[in-house]
Structures are given as C-alpha cells and as structure tokens.
Amino acid sequence: MDVDLHPPDDYSHRFFIWHEWIQAHGPLTAENAFDYFTTSMFYDKQSNNQVLRMQTMHTGLPLVNEAEELRRFTGIEFALVHAEPPSLFIIHKRDRLSPDEVRPLAVYFILNNRIYQSPDVYTLISNRLLTSLHSLQKSLDTLRSHRPAYTPRTGFVWPIAEPPATDAAAAGKKRTAEGESVPAAEEPEELSSSERGLAASATADTAADSKRQQNTLLLLNAMRTTALHAHESFQLPAAPPEEPVPETPVTATAGRSSMTPAPVPRGTTPKGPSNAPTPQDPPARGPPGGGKKKKKRTLTMPTPAP
C-alpha cells in the first residue's frame, strides 16, 4: 500500500494539463494563460479573483484592468507576473495587505501547457542534499566491495591495474581503417571457447598466486623487522670486566734469618711447626719503648770435665 507523505494541500509533486482546452482555445498567450490556470486544482475558488469574476459574470462587461480592480480588495489573490508565450508563464499566489503591500505565498509556472507548483527553498535544498548523499553512499559501497586485502606492513594498498589488451587491438583496427598494414605479430588470433576458458583460468590462478606470494613476502619482512627491533630493544648490556686484585706480598717476620735453629733452653719443650695460617698483613707495631720488654736470652755452656 502506497502512503502519500505530502500534506493534502501540497501539490508540488503533481502537475495539471488539459489537452481539450488547448485544442479549443488555441496556444496559450498572455491574455488566456490565467483563464487556463483557473481550470486547474491549484486555483483557489475563494480568492479575490473569483469574487471579482462572479460580480461581473452577469453584467456582460469584460474586465478591462483586473490588476487595478484587485487593489480594492484584501486577501488571497493570483497574478500573472511573467509571460513568455507560448511555453512559459509564471503566476504568483499572494496575500494582499493593502493597496500597495502584498506578501507572496506560492509560485506556479506553466511550462509547455503543463502547470506545476514551484517548490520552496527548504524542499529544494533537502532534495539536492539527499541526492548528493545517495550518490556518495553508493560510491563508498562500490569502493568497499572492491577494497584490497589487508597486509600488516602496507595496510590497504590499491593495486595498479595494467592497461587492457583491447587498446592494442583498437590501435590495430584504427591503422587498418586508415589503410596501413598490420604486422602479422599484432593480428589477434581467434581462440575457441575452451581455449579462452583455459587461458582465463590460468591467468586468474597466476594472479592469485602472485598476490599470495606478495602478501607472504610482506608478512615475512614485517616479522623479520619486528624480531630485529625486539632483539636490539631487549638485549641486556654487557657486564664490565673485573679488574685483577693485586696480591699483597707477605712480609717476613722480624727475627733470625739464619737457617740454623736457635738453641732451645733447658726445661723447655721444642715446639713443632705451627699449623695456624700466616696472616696476610703484618701486625701493627707499637711506638718504640712501649709495651712489655723482651727478656734477654742467656746461653749457659756446659763446664768441661777435668
């Protein structure tokens, strides 16, 4: 069921034509164009024009100057403002407020015997915007349907199409039409339907393989680049080499330097070699004369026998 969204008094989507009236009265002129307009559904029967016509209908006197007579009224009226017979006429519907002040309400025009209502500015702009948006949406849908595959390295890249092979054939036909001889190598050979099908399938397979290989190479290069940057970013810095610690020379203890052991006094037990670790650093010496004094050793020689 069709639903009409236009209001009841809106006839901007309709037009009026009456062929019988045109055949009876002849082509339209500036004198009979308004009479032809009064037969359409755009004409208001309650307008001042109709009131004036009703007043002079039975008098038999024609209206000499209808525009001057309408200046005596106030309200809705129609006026022919422009005429280009026999194809174009413009009629205004307006509200007369005073003899010198009118307010336009609607515009009608007669084009090639058809009467139309002129759209307002809002309807005109909205229609143009709707048409532009529809064309733009259709273009975007076409681009989206032919969008290439995504690759991690390059993203969406539109392929550059090769020039069609029909250009060479068209150039050969043009040279033939001009009287030039076409070389045998450029003459197209006719192929059977099966051969054409095999050639088309082979071409499609080759194109698919090349595209798949290209995508694989791009992905491999992206992985290599990512691995290289990751290795450089997360590699730990090398530890500095350890410096060798110089060995501290062991200082000999102050005492006898002879290899001959010292005589052991009587009553003392010779002590064996000590297993205690030798200190690395010599003990600190005190100030001279400080601490305990060492006991002077005395050696008693045995008395010789007489």
Side-chain angles (χ1 to χ4, degrees):
M1 180 179 179
D2 297 338
V3 179
D4 190 3
L5 300 179
H6 297 273
D9 57 344
D10 183 16
Y11 297 106
S12 59
H13 61 291
R14 301 173 59 182
F15 69 92
F16 174 84
I17 186 172
W18 192 1
H19 298 282
E20 292 78 9
W21 195 96
I22 299 296
Q23 292 177 0
H25 296 81
L28 294 180
T29 61
E31 289 74 18
N32 62 0
F34 187 78
D35 295 334
Y36 178 62
F37 177 79
T38 57
T39 61
S40 65
M41 68 280 193
F42 302 107
Y43 181 70
D44 188 3
K45 303 295 183 181
Q46 305 296 327
S47 61
N48 296 337
N49 303 76
Q50 186 65 22
V51 172
L52 188 59
R53 287 170 182 268
M54 293 294 295
Q55 290 178 357
T56 60
M57 180 183 299
H58 302 286
T59 59
L61 299 176
L63 290 174
V64 180
N65 194 347
E66 186 177 0
E68 290 296 332
E69 295 292 335
L70 290 174
R71 293 169 64 91
R72 300 186 294 107
F73 296 87
T74 57
I76 304 299
E77 66 177 27
F78 293 88
L80 180 65
V81 297
H82 183 75
E84 294 182 7
S87 58
L88 179 62
F89 303 90
I90 299 178
I91 299 174
H92 282 184
K93 178 181 180 180
R94 55 197 184 185
D95 184 13
R96 179 168 291 278
L97 305 177
S98 66
D100 299 326
E101 184 181 1
V102 293
R103 183 180 62 182
L105 300 179
V107 179
Y108 306 92
F109 59 94
I110 304 174
L111 182 63
N112 296 329
N113 302 329
R114 294 188 178 188
I115 305 176
Y116 300 90
Q117 180 179 357
S118 179
D120 53 4
V121 178
Y122 174 80
T123 305
L124 184 62
I125 294 179
S126 62
N127 187 28
R128 295 295 185 269
L129 289 177
L130 183 60
T131 304
S132 303
L133 291 177
H134 174 72
S135 301
L136 183 60
Q137 182 67 30
K138 189 174 180 181
S139 301
L140 292 177
D141 292 341
T142 304
L143 290 176
R144 191 178 295 108
S145 61
H146 294 83
R147 184 177 59 183
Y150 174 81
T151 55
R153 185 175 180 82
T154 60
F156 296 101
V157 179
W158 293 92
I160 301 176
E162 296 293 336
T166 56
D167 295 344
K173 291 181 179 179
K174 183 178 181 180
R175 288 197 298 267
T176 304
E178 293 177 355
E180 300 179 4
S181 60
V182 182
E186 297 183 3
E187 294 180 358
E189 299 179 358
E190 296 184 359
L191 302 177
S192 61
S193 58
S194 59
E195 293 177 352
R196 285 196 299 268
L198 292 176
S201 60
T203 305
D205 295 341
T206 305
D209 294 340
S210 62
K211 185 176 181 181
R212 191 180 301 109
Q213 184 179 4
Q214 180 183 5
N215 294 341
T216 306
L217 289 177
L218 291 176
L219 180 59
L220 181 60
N221 293 335
M223 294 175 63
R224 286 178 178 175
T225 306
T226 305
L228 179 60
H229 285 287
H231 179 69
E232 293 180 356
S233 300
F234 297 101
Q235 186 177 8
L236 296 177
E242 297 182 358
E243 298 181 358
V245 180
E247 297 182 358
T248 305
V250 180
T251 308
T253 328
R256 295 173 58 91
S257 62
S258 175
M259 298 300 295
T260 305
V264 181
R266 294 180 180 180
T268 61
T269 305
K271 296 181 181 181
S274 176
N275 296 330
T278 305
Q280 298 293 334
D281 297 330
R285 295 182 179 181
K292 293 182 180 181
K293 296 184 177 180
K294 291 185 179 181
K295 187 178 181 180
K296 184 181 293 186
R297 295 180 180 180
T298 57
L299 179 62
T300 58
M301 298 297 293
T303 307

